[in-house]
Amino acid sequence: MDIRALGYLRIETADLAAWRTYVLDILGMAEAAGTTDTRLGVRIDDRTHRFQFVAGAQDRLLAAGFEVAGARALEDAAAELESAGHPVKQADAETLADRRVQGLIHCEDPSGNPLEIYWGQAQDHTPLAARYGNRFVTGGREGSLGLGHVVLPAADTEATLDFYENLLGFQLRDSMRLPPVAVPTGKPGQDFYWMHFLSPNRRHHSLGLYPGALPPGIVHFMVELETLDDVGYCLDRMNAAGIPIASTLGRHSNDHMVSFYAQAPGGFQVECGWDGLLVDPATWTAKEITADSFWGHQWNG
């Protein structure tokens, strides 16, 4: 299967106003055209949106959207999923119009995470009205890197890894052992758990698989900024707004990202980073990492 990138995230929220403040005033993203009182679209580049926040009764991931090159690639993806025993639902006209795409299918991974595979998302050619002049890394001359990365709960870790690696065609970049205390909702009786990091493109990882269950259906998402100063300014805005910082600034050992983590309105976390590693898929070899970070990333509870 020819997945190119993590294209967008759709999130249901019980507090749309809080997310509006969080993404626009704190993260420095831009409101997308077509936003309503019950639906907030968010831009970080030339796509019509990279995030959709939908007002609802709870906080949960509605879908992770993965992009393919075109109509034939989407047809092939649907056929491969069905052949492998993963039911596919074709999107209706209303859904296509809402996502601003030309083709889309719905499916789930083996851990029940909702996915949308699509092609032909519309662009917005107006200048990005980022409030603080910050810019996000999504591709450009490096090709399609997508919005950043997302970490999803994967209680059925082995089957879910097989799904992304051997069916969707992601490349396993590295894995890390987690002690039982780090995975309180994991399968009982294990001495350790594997957390895996994968990507369909040059970004070190577009997807992380956490080996446990979490109620919102998402552990965190990461957006990458063009400069270290932009990360620092964002951290200052988080602190000024009284938003809890989940992890101090640090540099990860796997993707070399300099980043911090903050709590988000939906009961999960957001990572803001800079200087993420780009790899050559043709020469990369999967590894086990034995420490989360080279320095920093002190977790606060």
Side-chain angles (χ1 to χ4, degrees):
M1 198 176 299
D2 189 19
I3 304 290
R4 298 296 176 87
L6 171 65
Y8 60 73
L9 294 174
R10 302 188 69 247
I11 295 168
E12 180 181 349
T13 174
D15 194 344
L16 187 61
W19 268 111
R20 183 184 299 275
T21 298
Y22 194 91
V23 296
L24 302 182
D25 298 342
I26 307 299
L27 294 178
M29 298 176 180
E31 185 174 312
T35 289
T36 69
D37 290 340
T38 59
R39 187 164 306 218
L40 171 64
V42 179
R43 287 182 61 199
I44 60 173
D45 59 6
D46 63 354
R47 299 299 182 91
T48 53
H49 67 270
R50 290 292 192 175
F51 297 91
Q52 283 186 326
F53 298 94
V54 181
Q58 58 183 311
D59 296 288
R60 62 179 177 131
L61 178 72
L62 292 175
F66 290 104
E67 187 173 36
V68 296
R72 178 60 63 85
L74 187 62
E75 291 177 7
D76 291 345
E80 290 177 47
L81 284 161
E82 291 279 7
S83 179
H86 300 280
V88 166
K89 178 183 176 183
Q90 296 288 336
D92 57 23
E94 182 180 357
T95 299
L96 296 180
D98 176 70
R99 311 299 194 269
R100 296 297 310 276
V101 300
Q102 296 186 52
L104 184 149
I105 56 174
H106 304 272
C107 64
E108 290 185 352
D109 71 20
S111 289
N113 295 305
L115 308 180
E116 295 180 353
I117 301 175
Y118 71 92
W119 74 277
Q121 187 181 25
Q123 292 180 297
D124 186 334
H125 297 291
T126 61
L128 183 69
R131 183 159 303 183
Y132 309 106
N134 48 280
R135 291 291 182 267
F136 297 88
V137 177
T138 59
R141 286 176 295 180
E142 301 296 344
S144 180
L145 299 177
L147 72 82
H149 73 238
V150 65
V151 177
L152 300 178
D156 193 347
T157 309
E158 291 184 7
T160 307
L161 174 62
D162 181 71
F163 174 85
Y164 285 102
E165 187 178 16
N166 297 316
L167 183 57
L168 267 62
F170 286 38
Q171 185 178 47
L172 178 64
R173 296 288 159 78
D174 52 42
S175 303
M176 180 171 60
R177 298 186 193 212
L178 297 180
V181 68
V183 194
T185 58
K187 294 180 180 179
Q190 296 189 204
D191 294 331
F192 64 87
Y193 300 85
W194 285 110
M195 185 168 180
H196 302 290
F197 302 89
L198 309 95
S199 185
N201 56 48
R202 292 191 63 207
R203 192 185 289 280
H204 174 274
H205 61 276
S206 302
L207 174 68
L209 298 177
Y210 172 78
L214 287 174
I218 177 173
V219 181
H220 76 258
F221 68 75
M222 185 282 298
V223 288
E224 184 176 2
L225 291 147
E226 285 190 352
T227 73
L228 179 58
D229 283 345
D230 285 334
V231 174
Y233 293 141
C234 185
L235 180 57
D236 281 350
R237 293 193 295 271
M238 293 278 187
N239 285 319
I243 295 170
I245 302 303
S247 174
T248 62
L249 198 70
R251 186 184 283 275
H252 278 306
S253 57
N254 57 355
D255 66 354
H256 298 184
M257 188 81 69
V258 176
S259 67
F260 71 92
Y261 293 73
Q263 296 295 342
F268 54 93
Q269 297 171 355
V270 170
E271 180 184 9
C272 296
W274 165 78
D275 197 31
L277 179 66
L278 299 179
V279 310
D280 179 357
T283 60
W284 185 263
T285 57
K287 306 172 183 67
E288 177 188 350
I289 57 171
T290 56
D292 181 47
S293 302
F294 292 122
W295 55 266
H297 285 139
Q298 298 300 310
W299 292 92
N300 299 316

